[in-house]
């Protein structure tokens, strides 16, 4: 039955003049997508929100053929199709007013209940180095706290979030503005193989500008909250924050440098009540999810280990002196050694873990 219902949902997905809202109206009005496809034109015209042109399109033979072909293609590439109303469909997406009727998934999809233990991490493609470092720290700590990290696989903040999460041994979901077999940007193909990929677009669909704002609503709904690391006042990140609020999700924002256009979006969100966020612990505290486990430290001399433990967020030399109790020469020596080992980096007068 599930296979037949999935095929029916996919057929409706390919039917002209039917979007997510109309497909859901059909499914709920008749009890299933299968029943909707078998309904008479007279009955179809009684469906709320369905005009005469849309009603006449239901049962389109070309759409049915496309659905059959798409199922075969998915089997060939190893993609999974999940349909609304079926057991594998994520309950978290019910927070949307227009959940996609069908999702294409590549990889193992974790449980995403009504309030999922997952966080969306998003920001500008042209991110500053401090923002990239902080993204790595937050994503890695969230992953170690068994939180699924969700982002959009774009350059910049998204790439750092996914990479840090999987390198910490966690699960990360890439929500795409293209099909799961059309990775964009191309340099993220190797990274994509370490993620679970989700799309609402059929196989072979390339990236398109109008896909990305639509994609952002899925990131918001699949997360208990979204973190905006950097983004201008009018940006995809801010669209994601708006969707998160509409879904009843928490919004977190990372403060940036005054006057930097990339900090304008987060600063606006903070003024409007977003949770000011400088570490993963800020997120865990807000959601009552416990404490971030300490990152395993390599076998280091005492001074270096003390400095590394103190670097929970980007910090100045003065911050580190207060946090470690080391003298300035001891601190500087420890930082140089950690930098040579590739464990820390200095960006704009602040030190951060790599």
């Amino acid at each position: 039955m599930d296979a037949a219902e999935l095929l029916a949902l996919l057929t409706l997905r390919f039917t002209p003049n039917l979007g997510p809202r109309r497909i859901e109206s059909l499914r709920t009005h008749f009890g299933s997508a299968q029943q909707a496809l078998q309904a008479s034109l007279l009955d179809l015209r009684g469906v709320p929100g369905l005009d005469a042109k849309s009603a006449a399109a239901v049962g389109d033979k070309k759409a049915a053929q496309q659905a059959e072909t798409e199922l075969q293609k998915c089997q060939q590439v190893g993609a999974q199709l999940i349909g609304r109303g079926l057991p594998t469909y994520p309950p978290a997406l019910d927070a949307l007013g227009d959940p996609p009727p069908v999702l294409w998934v590549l990889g193992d999809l974790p449980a995403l209940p009504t309030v999922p233990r997952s966080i969306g991490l998003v920001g500008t493609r042209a991110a500053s180095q401090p923002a990239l470092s902080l993204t790595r720290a937050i994503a890695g700590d969230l992953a170690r706290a068994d939180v699924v990290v969700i982002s959009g696989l774009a350059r910049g903040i998204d790439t750092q979030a996914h990479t840090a999460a999987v390198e910490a041994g966690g699960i990360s979901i890439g929500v795409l503005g293209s099909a799961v077999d059309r990775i964009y940007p191309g340099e993220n193909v190797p990274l994509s193989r370490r993620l679970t990929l989700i799309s609402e677009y059929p196989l072979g669909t390339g990236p398109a500008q109008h896909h990305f704002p639509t994609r952002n609503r899925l990131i918001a709904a699949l997360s208990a909250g979204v973190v905006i690391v950097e983004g201008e006042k009018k940006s995809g990140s801010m669209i994601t924050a708006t969707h998160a609020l509409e879904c009843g999700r928490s919004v977190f924002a990372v403060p940036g440098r005054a006057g930097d256009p990339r900090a304008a979006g987060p600063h606006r969100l903070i003024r409007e009540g977003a949770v000011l966020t400088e570490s993963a612990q800020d997120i865990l505290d807000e959601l009552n999810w416990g404490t971030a486990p300490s990152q395993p430290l390599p076998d280091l001399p005492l001074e270096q280990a003390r400095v590394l433990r103190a670097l929970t967020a980007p910090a100045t030399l003065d911050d580190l002196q207060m946090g470690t109790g080391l003298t300035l020469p001891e601190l500087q020596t420890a930082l140089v050694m950690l930098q040579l080992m590739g464990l820390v980096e200095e960006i704009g007068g602040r030190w951060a873990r790599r």
Side-chain angles (χ1 to χ4, degrees):
M1 178 181 175
D2 285 359
E5 178 67 4
L6 180 61
L7 181 61
L9 283 166
L10 195 55
T11 299
L12 292 174
R13 167 64 178 78
F14 284 119
T15 299
N17 303 311
L18 293 184
R21 293 180 189 274
R22 284 176 171 169
I23 293 173
E24 182 60 9
S25 288
L26 284 163
R27 189 181 75 85
T28 55
H29 184 84
F30 293 105
S32 70
Q34 296 174 75
Q35 292 295 325
L37 287 176
Q38 295 168 10
S40 68
L41 184 57
L42 181 62
D43 287 338
L44 287 167
R45 286 179 175 171
V47 177
L50 205 67
D51 57 23
K53 188 176 181 181
S54 300
V58 175
D60 179 75
K61 290 184 178 180
K62 185 179 178 182
Q65 292 170 350
Q66 281 183 281
E68 290 279 8
T69 301
E70 188 70 17
L71 280 174
Q72 294 170 8
K73 289 180 181 178
C74 286
Q75 291 173 353
Q76 291 169 2
V77 304
Q80 177 189 3
L81 284 168
I82 56 178
R84 191 157 190 215
L86 297 176
T88 51
Y89 196 85
L93 289 178
D94 289 340
L96 290 173
D98 61 343
V102 179
L103 285 173
W104 282 254
V105 179
L106 200 58
D108 296 325
L109 188 65
L112 294 164
T114 303
V115 181
R117 191 178 173 87
S118 54
I119 289 293
L121 260 169
V122 297
T124 180
R125 290 168 172 79
S128 66
Q129 282 301 318
L132 295 173
S133 294
L134 189 60
T135 299
R136 288 197 295 268
I138 290 175
D141 285 345
L142 287 174
R144 281 183 283 275
D146 295 322
V147 176
V148 176
V149 173
I150 300 178
S151 198
L153 200 60
R155 295 185 179 98
I157 297 298
D158 293 19
T159 295
Q160 294 299 321
H162 290 307
T163 301
V166 295
E167 286 181 350
I171 297 170
S172 189
I173 296 174
V175 185
L176 307 183
S178 59
V180 295
D181 63 339
R182 291 288 302 275
I183 304 304
Y184 177 82
E187 67 259 26
N188 275 346
V189 169
L191 173 60
S192 72
R193 298 188 183 115
R194 306 174 70 185
L195 310 176
T196 294
L197 304 179
I198 292 179
S199 175
E200 58 183 306
Y201 300 108
L203 296 179
T205 304
Q209 190 171 0
H210 64 278
H211 289 173
F212 294 101
T214 305
R215 174 274 311 268
N216 292 346
R217 83 193 198 290
L218 297 186
I219 294 175
L222 291 171
S223 308
V226 296
V227 184
I228 313 302
V229 182
E230 278 187 335
E232 297 186 7
K233 284 185 179 179
K234 293 184 178 180
S235 63
S237 301
M238 295 296 283
I239 292 172
T240 307
T242 299
H243 284 306
L245 292 171
E246 290 172 350
C247 290
R249 307 308 197 196
S250 299
V251 175
F252 302 86
V254 174
R257 183 169 56 85
D260 187 340
R262 296 170 294 193
H267 287 174
R268 175 181 166 186
L269 291 171
I270 291 168
R271 284 194 296 271
E272 293 174 352
V275 179
L276 191 152
T277 303
E278 296 178 297
S279 68
Q281 193 59 54
D282 292 330
I283 300 164
L284 298 173
D285 287 344
E286 177 68 18
L287 297 172
N288 197 27
W289 282 355
T291 303
S294 300
Q295 183 175 355
L297 296 177
D299 188 12
L300 296 171
L302 180 62
E303 292 83 0
Q304 294 171 33
R306 194 179 297 176
V307 171
L308 205 55
R309 276 195 297 269
L311 279 173
T312 56
T316 64
L317 285 175
D318 287 343
D319 294 333
L320 287 172
Q321 269 195 277
M322 291 180 62
T324 62
L326 298 176
T327 66
L328 184 58
E330 288 172 334
L331 177 59
Q332 290 174 323
T333 299
L335 286 168
V336 168
M337 297 306 297
L338 291 169
Q339 190 175 33
L340 290 172
M341 288 185 283
L343 296 175
V344 303
E345 58 187 346
E346 193 266 334
I347 305 161
R350 291 178 178 269
W351 290 86
R353 291 193 187 197
R354 288 187 62 85

